[in-house]
């Protein structure tokens, strides 16, 4: 009714009330001046630290999140990682991970090398940390979705890992004001971004309750694929993945090839031309494969 977002902040209250039918008292309660001051502080901080701010209407805002009705209206991104038109895999797991979890993470991440896949996780201790470290080891692009503002890194033990993610061409991503501190509410809120931004969510290892199970439920709610690694029947503390598989809330992930088959993603190294081509046809086919 007012023509633009900017007009909401610049049009006099009386006229804005006439245009929208909203009472003058309600419009004054928006505290437009304070909102603009806060926005200016965020802008100045982002500019000073090289952080890009993506509004949901911008073309390079992740299209997967645009499909989520509760997606964040904007994202703060520290790093040069391009998320547009990328295959995105979210990988999550428990903070107290087993040796098995680390092995399966390494196997899966190693299979992503050279496949133009971006891996998301939450930079938490345990499985998340190993996911990011494995991506760095195998040169697979990775982004950490944070449950707090970009003025800090939590947990502090992962400061160096966060720096290496940036240095490797990855990114730290947060919807929160740079001053926002972590809390028991911000991490579940963060999990919806992990689930919503990804084409598929993989649960490596989880208890029956926790952040990983929340993320899997959110991914199902967004009609995204979910996979889970079957866990030991003996160790009851890691029963979450088995529960997801048993209730048909996740596909079973026995090895990395299962993910590629489910998503119908052809591994570049496995593209084989088993018929005769002319030299010109071979050159064209090779060019197409290199651009995939």
């Amino acid at each position: 009714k007012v023509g633009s977002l900017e007009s909401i902040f610049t049009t006099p209250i009386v006229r804005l009330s006439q245009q929208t039918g909203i009472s003058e008292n309600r419009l004054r309660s928006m505290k437009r001046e304070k909102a603009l001051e806060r926005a200016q502080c965020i802008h100045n901080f982002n500019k000073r630290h090289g952080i890009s701010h993506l509004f949901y209407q911008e073309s390079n805002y992740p299209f997967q999140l645009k499909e989520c009705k509760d997606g964040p209206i904007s994202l703060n991104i520290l790093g040069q990682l391009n998320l547009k038109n990328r295959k995105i895999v979210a990988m999550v797991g428990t903070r107290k991970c087993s040796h098995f979890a680390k092995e399966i993470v390494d196997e899966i991440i190693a299979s992503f090398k050279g496949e133009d896949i971006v891996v998301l996780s939450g930079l938490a201790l345990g499985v998340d940390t190993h996911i990011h470290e494995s991506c760095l080891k195998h040169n697979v692009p990775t982004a950490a979705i944070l449950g707090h503002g970009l003025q800090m890194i939590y947990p502090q033990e992962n400061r160096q890992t966060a720096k290496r993610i940036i240095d490797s061409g990855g990114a730290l991503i947060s919807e929160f004001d740079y001053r926002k501190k972590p809390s028991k509410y911000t991490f579940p809120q963060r999990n919806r971004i992990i689930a919503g931004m990804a084409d598929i969510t993989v649960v490596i290892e989880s208890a029956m309750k926790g952040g990983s199970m929340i993320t899997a439920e959110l991914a199902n709610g967004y009609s995204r694929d979910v996979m889970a690694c079957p866990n030991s029947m003996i160790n009851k503390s890691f029963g979450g993945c088995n529960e997801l598989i048993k209730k048909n809330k996740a596909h079973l992930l026995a090895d990395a090839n299962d993910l590629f088959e489910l998503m119908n993603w052809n591994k570049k190294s496995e593209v084989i031309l088993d018929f005769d081509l002319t030299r010109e046809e071979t050159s064209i086919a090779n060019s197409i494969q290199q651009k995939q």
Side-chain angles (χ1 to χ4, degrees):
K1 290 185 177 181
V2 300
S4 69
L5 288 172
E6 183 179 359
S7 297
I8 296 173
F9 295 92
T10 59
T11 304
I13 290 291
V14 174
R15 184 180 174 189
L16 194 61
S17 177
Q18 294 170 347
Q19 290 177 322
T20 63
I22 300 172
S23 70
E24 293 181 23
N25 287 337
R26 175 59 63 87
L27 290 171
R28 289 192 180 92
S29 71
M30 291 171 57
K31 300 179 180 178
R32 298 185 301 175
E33 293 79 9
K34 288 188 176 180
L36 289 174
E37 289 175 6
R38 179 184 175 191
Q40 189 63 55
C41 288
I42 295 172
H43 173 75
N44 292 342
F45 178 88
N46 286 355
K47 185 176 181 181
R48 188 162 62 247
H49 295 279
I51 298 169
S52 58
H53 187 88
L54 283 183
F55 186 56
Y56 83 99
Q57 289 183 333
E58 295 183 60
S59 61
N60 52 344
Y61 182 97
F63 75 90
Q64 295 95 330
L65 279 180
K66 289 185 178 182
E67 298 173 348
C68 304
K69 63 181 181 180
D70 61 348
I73 198 166
S74 63
L75 292 170
N76 299 295
I77 302 178
L78 177 59
Q80 301 302 314
L81 182 63
N82 180 14
L83 295 168
K84 190 174 183 179
N85 299 325
R86 305 290 292 273
K87 300 171 185 174
I88 301 180
V89 176
M91 295 178 66
V92 295
T94 180
R95 283 171 169 77
K96 297 180 180 179
C97 61
S98 67
H99 182 69
F100 162 80
K102 294 181 179 180
E103 287 185 348
I104 193 64
V105 164
D106 283 334
E107 179 183 338
I108 295 172
I109 297 297
S111 73
F112 292 164
K113 186 174 182 178
E115 299 295 336
D116 195 33
I117 291 174
V118 176
V119 175
L120 306 182
S121 199
L123 199 65
L125 295 176
V127 171
D128 286 15
T129 297
H130 195 72
I131 289 166
H132 293 301
E133 292 287 351
S134 186
C135 287
L136 294 169
K137 173 184 175 182
H138 294 288
N139 295 317
V140 173
T142 185
I145 314 300
L146 306 181
H148 51 78
L150 288 171
Q151 194 175 35
M152 62 176 295
I153 294 296
Y154 178 85
Q156 293 186 5
E157 296 93 319
N158 278 344
R159 284 182 176 180
Q160 190 59 35
T161 299
K163 183 179 184 303
R164 291 173 60 209
I165 289 173
I166 299 299
D167 293 342
S168 71
L172 306 181
I173 301 175
S174 174
E175 71 172 312
F176 297 109
D177 183 324
Y178 67 93
R179 296 162 291 194
K180 184 70 174 180
K181 294 182 179 179
S183 74
K184 64 180 181 180
Y185 304 108
T186 57
F187 289 109
Q189 190 172 335
R190 174 275 309 271
N191 291 344
R192 86 189 195 291
I193 299 179
I194 295 177
M197 192 183 295
D199 300 301
I200 180 170
T201 294
V202 177
V203 183
I204 300 297
E205 191 173 63
S206 176
M208 295 292 287
K209 294 182 179 180
S212 298
M213 298 295 281
I214 292 173
T215 305
E217 292 287 352
L218 288 165
N220 276 305
Y222 295 141
S223 298
R224 305 290 166 80
D225 285 301
V226 178
M227 299 194 84
C229 303
N231 298 141
S232 170
M233 294 173 60
I234 299 174
N235 191 344
K236 300 298 183 181
S237 61
F238 294 138
C241 288
N242 292 349
E243 187 73 7
L244 289 170
I245 296 168
K246 183 170 68 175
K247 292 187 175 180
N248 294 318
K249 293 183 176 182
H251 299 272
L252 188 150
L253 177 62
D255 61 45
N257 289 327
D258 290 341
L259 187 149
F260 284 90
E261 290 179 7
L262 177 66
M263 300 303 294
N264 197 26
W265 291 345
N266 291 323
K267 297 185 73 172
K268 294 180 181 179
S269 57
E270 294 180 353
V271 178
I272 300 173
L273 298 176
D274 56 355
F275 44 87
D276 295 330
L277 298 176
T278 66
R279 181 178 298 180
E280 183 179 4
E281 290 170 339
T282 300
S283 177
I284 293 172
N286 289 337
S287 297
I288 293 173
Q289 288 184 32
Q290 290 172 5
K291 293 179 180 179
Q292 288 180 338

